[in-house]
Amino acid sequence: MANRARYAVASVTGALVVLGTLASCGTGDGTAGASPQPPASAGRTAGDSPPRTATSPDGTVVSPSGTAASPSDRAPTAPGRTDRPGTRCRTAELSAAVGRMDPGAGQRNFPVVLTNVSSRTCTVYGYPGAAFVDAAGEQLGRDPERTAGDATTVTLAPGESAWSGLRYASPGVSGARTATPATLLVTPPDERQPLEVPWRSGPVPVSGNASSVFLTVLQPGSGP
């Protein structure tokens, strides 16, 4: 009987030790705690960036899944603009030409005309780019300067045109050094690819006194 009593006491003591061990692994309120969860950033290595969005050519922000973002995520347009990025005329949708010279007061004035040759209505805003180049494609003279003016959005239906005034002092009057360009490169507003227009109006000032060339903002029509 004594041996059985000692065995029972030992069994009860062992059970109490096991319960005590389990209690030390619990949470602060005495209940058994679940394994700690990894933080939300787990699985990302140091230096990882959040998912990025892309921007389509017309200014629409596109998510990684390929869907367009909300209007508030669209790329902003230039201050004061009223057109949407998707309506802008692209270089491939336009042709360029130089109109007849209009001389006056020691100046040579030309309309630089952009015409919508596409099947959709598009818009131009502001100033075109322009550069005289020789037969080797090297620029002659400095970039044209912009004449102050109020830019407005010009809407071009298929076949319609907008023009910008290009002017410079007559070299015979100003005494500027001249060169005869092969081509006038005309770049539509907000575009990078220029249109090539053969230059047939003789020498232009490239350096020296009064050698600056000036451009005006685009306006509807094909010239004054």
Side-chain angles (χ1 to χ4, degrees):
M1 291 294 295
N3 288 337
R4 289 181 181 177
R6 283 196 299 271
Y7 178 80
V9 171
S11 298
V12 171
T13 301
L16 290 175
V17 170
V18 171
L19 289 174
T21 302
L22 290 175
S24 68
C25 294
T27 61
D29 59 3
T31 60
S35 301
Q37 296 298 317
S41 60
R44 237 201 257 165
T45 60
D48 280 355
S49 300
R52 296 184 177 180
T53 58
T55 303
S56 66
D58 67 354
T60 301
V61 177
V62 181
S63 69
S65 62
T67 58
S70 64
S72 62
D73 294 328
R74 292 181 185 274
T77 57
R81 293 188 67 151
T82 58
D83 63 327
R84 293 179 294 118
T87 68
R88 187 175 80 236
C89 294
R90 307 290 179 170
T91 297
E93 298 174 312
L94 299 168
S95 67
V98 177
R100 184 167 55 95
M101 182 182 69
D102 179 23
Q107 301 284 327
R108 292 186 178 180
N109 305 287
F110 301 87
V112 177
V113 184
L114 294 173
T115 301
N116 181 3
V117 294
S118 74
S119 59
R120 75 176 184 114
T121 297
C122 60
T123 61
V124 291
Y125 177 92
Y127 300 83
F132 292 108
V133 298
D134 61 18
E138 296 295 325
Q139 183 169 338
L140 301 173
R142 296 173 293 181
D143 290 337
E145 299 181 21
R146 294 179 174 183
T147 301
D150 294 327
T152 58
T153 297
V154 181
T155 300
L156 301 179
E160 292 185 337
S161 301
W163 70 281
S164 170
L166 181 149
R167 67 176 174 85
Y168 52 85
S170 299
V173 175
S174 68
R177 187 170 68 85
T178 65
T180 301
T183 304
L184 176 66
L185 301 181
V186 180
T187 306
D190 301 315
E191 292 291 293
R192 295 185 177 181
Q193 184 66 33
L195 296 162
E196 298 183 4
V197 182
W199 182 255
R200 300 187 177 94
S201 298
V204 299
V206 294
S207 66
N209 184 40
S211 64
S212 295
V213 178
F214 298 88
L215 282 172
T216 66
V217 295
L218 286 161
Q219 51 190 307
S222 56

